[in-house]
Amino acid sequence: GVTPTSQAICTPNDALYTVNIGQIQGYTDPVTLSLLGHPAGTTAAFAPNPVTPPGSSTLTIGNTGAAASGSYLLEVTGTAPTSTHTTQVSLDVFTTAPGTPSLLTPPDGATDVSLAPTLTWNPAGDSQTYALEVATDAGFSNVVYTASGIAGTQHTLATPLTPLTPYFWHVRAANACGDGSYSAPFTFTTADIPP
């Protein structure tokens, strides 16, 4: 087993995984570890290697400054004289902070918008997650709703807004290298509550 099962790094930081070698019925044959799928130009080292069960090893993926940004599926294999076991983990490599998203809906200047609207935006380059703010002013000094760690490009407000009120909203992307810039804000006005 390998932990974590997925992680994101910002180059040139190393990626570290713990490889656990279990033991069944007193099995003690040495297990030799190997790796496939790490980014081109990077190095992969297990310490220690081989491992006598039960035990663990640290996998270090180094020289990540040579890696291209992207998502990689890593295949860790443990080979012993009588058996071979394989597991997969993922690695997301980022080389810069993300770009700036552009807002979609509700469109700028929209009226009669739901009190708990679903906000959508275009993806930003090199994004991992998103954060949004909704405020009652264009300067965002009175933020009334925030959300962060959003995995996709939409979010439905979890708490309702005030009827017949103008609001401003913007979004920024984040990744392992840091936060991007907030998008240009959009404004909308909420609907009235039906009688």
Side-chain angles (χ1 to χ4, degrees), residues 40-69:
T42 62
T43 60
F46 294 92
N49 193 19
V51 177
T52 300
S56 64
S57 179
T58 299
L59 165 60
T60 302
I61 299 175
N63 198 41
T64 62
S69 62

Side-chain angles (χ1 to χ4, degrees), residues 103-113 166-169 185-190:
L103 306 183
L104 289 175
T105 59
D108 195 21
T111 58
D112 203 32
V113 172
Y167 288 97
F168 298 82
W169 66 288
F186 272 14
T187 184
F188 64 84
T189 301
T190 51

Side-chain angles (χ1 to χ4, degrees), residues 21-167:
I21 311 299
Q23 182 186 53
I24 297 175
Q25 296 179 347
Y27 186 89
T28 57
D29 286 354
V31 176
T32 301
L33 301 168
S34 60
L35 180 71
L36 292 174
H38 57 288
T42 62
T43 60
F46 294 92
N49 193 19
V51 177
T52 300
S56 64
S57 179
T58 299
L59 165 60
T60 302
I61 299 175
N63 198 41
T64 62
S69 62
S71 296
Y72 298 87
L73 189 62
L74 311 179
E75 186 173 275
V76 180
T77 299
T79 304
T82 56
S83 63
T84 298
H85 292 280
T86 299
T87 190
Q88 293 180 329
V89 294
S90 62
L91 174 65
D92 293 326
V93 175
F94 296 96
T95 57
T96 61
T100 304
S102 57
L103 306 183
L104 289 175
T105 59
D108 195 21
T111 58
D112 203 32
V113 172
S114 163
L115 301 186
T118 297
L119 309 177
T120 69
W121 54 91
N122 285 314
D126 287 327
S127 61
Q128 186 178 7
T129 61
Y130 295 91
L132 74 85
E133 292 181 334
V134 178
T136 57
D137 63 299
F140 290 85
S141 60
N142 184 35
V143 174
V144 295
Y145 184 89
T146 62
S148 60
I150 303 167
T153 55
Q154 69 175 30
H155 179 77
T156 301
L157 271 64
T159 56
L161 301 172
T162 304
L164 297 175
T165 304
Y167 288 97

Side-chain angles (χ1 to χ4, degrees), residues 2-7 16-18 89-90:
V2 182
T3 55
T5 56
S6 65
Q7 68 172 301
L16 301 175
Y17 295 86
T18 299
V89 294
S90 62

